[in-house]
Amino acid sequence: MSVSPLVWTVTIVVILALLAFDYFFHIRKAHAPSLQEAALWSSVYVGAAVLFGVVVLLLGGTEMGGQYFAGFITEKALSVDNLFVFLVILASFRVPREDQQKVLLFGIVFALIARTVFIFLGVALIDAFSWIFYLFGAILLLTAGQLLKPGSHDGEAENFVVRLARKFLRTSERYDGDRLFTVENGRRVLTPMLLVMVAIGGTDVLFALDSIPAIFGLTQNAYIVFTATAFSLMGLRQLFFLLDGLLDRLIYLSYGLAAILAFIGAKLVLHALHENTLPFINGGEHVKVFEVTTGLSLGVIIGVLAVTIVASLVSPAGKAQTAINNARRHAESYLDLGYTADAGERERVYRNLVEEERAIRAMDKKYRDKAKDVEAIRAKVREAHARHEEYLRTAG
C-alpha cells in the first residue's frame, strides 16, 4: 500500500504537535513528575500508538497492520532497554531530578531525527542494493551477541564528543537550573546540562544503528518504519519515570532482546538469500529458503518479551537485585546535595530508602549477599541515615 504525500504531511504534523504539547504543558516548568502523572501520560501515548495501529490495520490491511505492531513492539522494547543507558548517563552527570525531563525530551527529539535520517538512508540502500539485507542481518546478530555480555548496560557517559568539549571548551562543574550556558568568574561557560545532552545525543546515534536494521527486518515500508519508530519514542520520557526503580528488576530483558534481534537477524539473512543477486552465492540466483511471515514474527516477539518480563518479575534474584540497586540509588540521591532543591522530593527519596531496606531484610540472605559492591552500598545507606538524623536534629 502506497502512502500519499498528504498522509505523510499530516502524520509528521501530528507527531510534531505531540512533541510541542509535551514540552509546553509538561516540561517547560521544571518539576519531578509523580508516579501518577507518569502512569497517566504513558497510558495516553501507548493508547495513541495502539489506536494508530488499528487505523493502519483497517485502512492498510492485516499485513500492513501486523508489520506496524511488530515494529512498534520491537522498537518499544529496544527503547526500554536504552533507558538503562540513559539512567547511567543522568546519574553520571548528577542531573537534578526536576531537570531530567528536559534532557529526556531532547534525547527523544534527537533520536527521532537520527532514526529518520537512517530510515531514508536505509530505504535508499535497499532500493539500490538487495544484498544490504546481509549486512543488516549481520549487524543484528552481532548486537544480539553484545547484549549477552555482562555489563552491557554499564554505558559510558563520557563519550568522545563530551571529552573533546571538556578539553577544548570552557565548562562548569555546576548546574544553573536548566540553562545550557552560565557565567562563572565573569566568563561565559558551558553547563553540565549541555554536556549531558551531547552524551544523550551520541548514544542516540548508536541506538539507531541497532534499531533501524531491526525494524527493516520486519517491514520495508518506509511509512510503517517511520511511524512505528516515532510512536515507540513518544511517551518514552514518561515511561522513564514510571519504570525508574523497576528497570533493574528486568534482569532478563537483555536475553529476551538478544533472542528477538537474533531472530530478526536470521530473518533478514533468509530474506537476503531469497532475493540473492551476489554472484558467489548460488551463482547469483535466488535461493529457495523458508520465508518468515509477519504473523510468525509478531508471535515470536510478543512471546519472547512476555516470557522475559514474567521471568524477571517472579525471580527472587531479580527482586533482590532491584531492591539493593534502588537502595543504593536512593542513598546516593539523598547524599547528593545537588540532586534537588525540593525538600518534599528529598523526604520522598528517604522514605523510599527505608522501604527498600525493609524489603531487603525480608529476603533470603543468599540473594542479598550476591549483589555487586554490597559493602559499599551498605556504607552509603548508613551515611544517608546519619545525614538524615543530622537534618532532623538541625530542623528540630
Side-chain angles (χ1 to χ4, degrees):
M1 174 183 172
S2 60
V3 178
S4 68
L6 177 61
V7 172
W8 269 102
T9 303
V10 171
T11 303
I12 292 171
V13 168
V14 168
I15 290 171
L16 292 176
L18 286 172
L19 290 171
F21 174 83
D22 209 15
Y23 176 77
F24 286 106
F25 288 91
H26 294 123
I27 298 176
R28 197 173 186 181
K29 183 180 179 181
H31 71 286
S34 65
L35 187 65
Q36 182 179 3
E37 179 186 338
L40 172 63
W41 287 103
S42 291
S43 301
V44 168
Y45 281 108
V46 171
V50 171
L51 181 62
F52 179 82
V54 171
V55 173
V56 173
L57 194 67
L58 294 175
L59 299 181
T62 55
E63 181 69 15
M64 194 171 180
Q67 290 176 355
Y68 168 80
F69 279 111
F72 170 74
I73 293 170
T74 300
E75 291 296 307
K76 197 69 172 180
L78 288 170
S79 295
V80 170
D81 190 58
N82 297 158
L83 289 180
F84 283 97
V85 181
F86 286 169
L87 189 63
V88 171
I89 292 173
L90 293 174
S92 298
F93 282 91
R94 299 166 66 196
V95 180
R97 180 77 168 179
E98 52 266 33
D99 293 321
Q100 289 178 3
Q101 292 197 91
K102 290 186 179 179
V103 175
L104 290 169
L105 182 63
F106 168 82
I108 290 168
V109 172
F110 193 89
L112 186 57
I113 294 170
R115 294 183 191 197
T116 300
V117 171
F118 278 104
I119 286 168
F120 288 103
L121 179 61
V123 169
L125 290 172
I126 288 169
D127 288 341
F129 312 104
S130 61
W131 54 262
I132 201 70
F133 287 110
Y134 287 115
L135 179 60
F136 284 176
I139 290 172
L140 294 186
L141 291 172
L142 288 172
T143 303
Q146 289 282 30
L147 285 174
L148 295 176
K149 291 182 178 179
S152 61
H153 291 128
D154 289 348
E156 184 185 2
E158 291 284 314
N159 62 33
F160 178 70
V161 179
V162 172
R163 289 196 295 270
L164 282 180
R166 287 192 184 277
K167 185 174 181 179
F168 295 105
L169 300 176
R170 291 193 293 268
T171 61
S172 171
E173 295 298 324
R174 64 177 181 84
Y175 287 91
D176 186 8
D178 60 359
R179 293 182 177 87
L180 302 182
F181 298 89
T182 189
V183 177
E184 207 171 68
N185 298 323
R187 298 192 306 174
R188 187 176 174 83
V189 295
L190 306 178
T191 70
M193 182 63 72
L194 181 59
L195 296 178
V196 72
M197 288 184 174
V198 171
I200 291 283
T203 57
D204 278 334
V205 174
L206 296 177
F207 293 156
L209 292 173
D210 298 335
S211 67
I212 296 307
I215 196 169
F216 271 121
L218 300 168
T219 177
Q220 284 82 60
N221 186 313
Y223 182 76
I224 295 300
V225 172
F226 173 76
T227 52
T229 301
F231 276 106
S232 74
L233 293 171
M234 296 289 104
L236 193 61
R237 174 185 62 80
Q238 293 86 348
L239 193 62
F240 176 87
F241 289 98
L242 182 62
L243 294 181
D244 186 19
L246 294 177
L247 285 173
D248 291 319
R249 181 84 173 261
L250 302 177
I251 58 175
Y252 301 125
L253 180 61
S254 289
Y255 297 102
L257 288 174
I260 290 172
L261 292 180
F263 169 77
I264 298 174
K267 179 185 176 183
L268 279 168
V269 173
L270 289 173
H271 183 74
L273 288 169
H274 186 266
E275 302 291 327
N276 179 63
T277 57
L278 295 178
F280 52 86
I281 298 178
N282 198 36
E285 298 295 325
H286 300 337
V287 181
K288 290 184 179 181
V289 293
F290 174 73
E291 282 278 295
V292 181
T293 64
T294 299
L296 177 59
S297 297
L298 187 58
V300 168
I301 292 166
I302 293 175
V304 169
L305 283 177
V307 170
T308 298
I309 293 171
V310 170
S312 296
L313 294 178
V314 302
S315 165
K319 293 177 182 178
Q321 187 69 46
T322 300
I324 292 168
N325 284 337
N326 284 344
R328 183 206 69 236
R329 188 155 55 241
H330 294 321
E332 289 175 345
S333 296
Y334 190 86
L335 293 169
D336 182 6
L337 296 177
Y339 171 75
T340 180
D342 187 340
E345 169 67 13
R346 188 166 292 281
E347 183 61 31
R348 181 192 70 83
V349 170
Y350 184 77
R351 286 198 306 270
N352 288 340
L353 172 60
V354 173
E355 290 172 7
E356 293 295 351
E357 285 185 283
R358 190 179 299 118
I360 292 169
R361 284 193 292 269
M363 292 174 183
D364 193 313
K365 190 174 185 296
K366 68 179 180 181
Y367 296 118
R368 298 201 309 254
D369 293 342
K370 281 184 177 180
K372 183 181 178 183
D373 299 328
V374 65
E375 289 304 324
I377 293 172
R378 286 170 179 162
K380 284 187 178 179
V381 170
R382 287 193 296 269
E383 188 181 350
H385 282 298
R387 181 79 62 81
H388 187 68
E389 289 173 5
E390 181 184 347
Y391 165 75
L392 291 178
R393 285 196 302 270
T394 305

